[in-house]
Amino acid sequence: MESYEFNFKKSFGQNFLRDHNIVKKIVDSAQIKENSLVIEIGPGAGILTQELSKVAKRVIAYEIDDRLEGVLDQNLTNCSNVDIIYTDFLKCHLKDDLKKYEYDHLYVVSNIPYYITTPIIMKLIEEEVEVDKIVIMVQKEVGDRFGAVPGKKEYNSLTVFLNYYFDVEKLFVVNRNQFIPKPNVDSIVISLTKKKQLLEVKDKPLFFQLVRDSFRYKRKTIRNNLKHYDLSKIEQVLANYHYDLTVRAEQLPLEVFVEMSNHLA
Ligand code: SAH
């Protein structure tokens, strides 16, 4: 990218990887199986896209910035199995887009734009695309949240959703010097592998809403954050786990949220 006259846009979270070894390490850790479709969010100049193209049957990359079209065309001339879609990933119809392809396994592998980390993950979760594994690079502090356990200050609603769907693994830290332009934060590569057995949730939208509401005001108790729910039912579930309504959401493990929502459903 140093060789291009490109005006990086901070508002698009544009920090491009410069080191091919790190790119290879990211792709290797995804262990992409045969006949796979890989989704990339924010290909930038295509450094990761090139490597993904070698191991995937097909790569679909969503890029919001169409100023990158010339660079991507040039860098991906030999990658006939890559489709770039110039659009905001958050606005795309992922399920419809995927219908056009045939594949046995689905992955998301990306150095994503960090300013929309949570919306990207929530979109992948809530649209219920059957993804085998997600390997993404995120800001290091955010990565620490992903695997946080109850009682830690990093534990929040995103942690609960991630723990419901995925086995979360921190893979490796990437120093800020590995990007151009250099960001103010270090990064970490995280892998999210679909759990083999999910806990039974009777009403998904209710579960998502209940978890969000439970964490709405961090310092507030469950009684205060959930006052518009049937508190007697919530109290019963909490009692089974030796908690009461004065507990805070950050203390509660995934199973308690699942049981609360099932009892309310
Ligand atoms: N993956 C590349 C670039 C990472 S920078 C690399 O590692 O070098 C983040 C990229 O995401 C940029 O190309 C930016 O334009 C793109 N991007 C930002 N917001 C986006 C959105 N909403 N949808 C799709 N792409 C987006």
Side-chain angles (χ1 to χ4, degrees), residues 96-236:
D96 289 344
D97 290 354
L98 294 177
K99 272 190 204 134
K100 296 174 208 143
Y101 301 93
E102 271 179 38
Y103 52 88
D104 294 331
H105 303 279
L106 181 64
Y107 298 82
V108 174
V109 182
S110 302
N111 168 27
I112 59 170
Y114 294 174
Y115 72 104
I116 46 171
T117 300
T118 301
I120 287 174
I121 291 171
M122 290 315 294
K123 182 177 171 97
L124 293 170
I125 288 178
E126 289 185 293
E127 294 200 4
E128 303 203 305
V129 283
E130 289 293 322
V131 45
D132 292 56
K133 197 194 272 194
I134 300 175
V135 175
I136 47 171
M137 178 133 70
V138 299
Q139 182 180 332
K140 192 176 168 303
E141 288 70 24
V142 176
D144 287 337
R145 288 186 183 283
F146 289 8
V149 292
K152 292 273 186 240
K153 68 175 190 323
E154 292 86 8
Y155 188 73
N156 67 2
S157 55
L158 181 63
T159 320
V160 176
F161 297 138
L162 286 174
N163 283 332
Y164 173 65
Y165 284 98
F166 301 107
D167 290 321
V168 180
E169 209 185 328
K170 290 184 195 178
L171 298 181
F172 53 93
V173 173
V174 178
N175 187 277
R176 64 193 74 185
N177 292 316
Q178 304 295 344
F179 299 85
I180 171 169
K182 178 177 154 181
N184 296 324
V185 292
D186 293 323
S187 296
I188 187 163
V189 179
I190 302 275
S191 106
L192 308 171
T193 311
K194 191 75 183 276
K195 279 193 174 153
K196 295 217 166 63
Q197 192 81 53
L198 297 187
L199 295 173
E200 198 210 329
V201 169
K202 287 186 193 156
D203 181 340
K204 283 264 173 67
L206 174 65
F207 169 67
F208 280 101
Q209 195 57 50
L210 179 86
V211 172
R212 285 203 175 98
D213 288 339
S214 297
F215 283 93
R216 179 128 305 158
Y217 299 102
K218 248 207 130 177
R219 300 310 309 155
K220 283 196 174 180
T221 61
I222 284 290
R223 186 202 302 280
N224 280 316
N225 275 333
L226 298 183
K227 56 174 177 260
H228 48 291
Y229 289 82
D230 183 340
L231 282 174
S232 64
K233 286 189 173 168
I234 288 172
E235 195 169 23
Q236 285 164 14

Side-chain angles (χ1 to χ4, degrees), residues 12-14 16-17 42-44 62-64 88-89 111 113 115-116:
F12 283 158
Q14 291 181 336
F16 294 1
L17 274 169
Y62 292 91
E63 175 53 64
I64 200 171
D88 180 346
F89 174 72
N111 168 27
Y115 72 104
I116 46 171

Side-chain angles (χ1 to χ4, degrees), residues 30-92:
Q31 295 177 295
I32 291 164
K33 294 184 184 154
E34 236 168 74
N35 214 15
S36 292
L37 180 71
V38 180
I39 300 168
E40 188 186 3
I41 301 145
I47 187 170
L48 186 57
T49 325
Q50 285 170 337
E51 212 56 44
L52 289 170
S53 148
K54 292 182 194 162
V55 292
K57 182 186 181 197
R58 188 154 284 274
V59 180
I60 317 178
Y62 292 91
E63 175 53 64
I64 200 171
D65 189 352
D66 54 19
R67 296 177 308 149
L68 287 161
E69 196 168 345
V71 176
L72 279 167
D73 281 350
Q74 195 175 327
N75 289 346
L76 301 173
T77 22
N78 299 319
C79 307
S80 56
N81 60 343
V82 176
D83 291 335
I84 310 269
I85 304 178
Y86 291 95
T87 190
D88 180 346
F89 174 72
L90 297 179
K91 296 202 179 120
C92 79

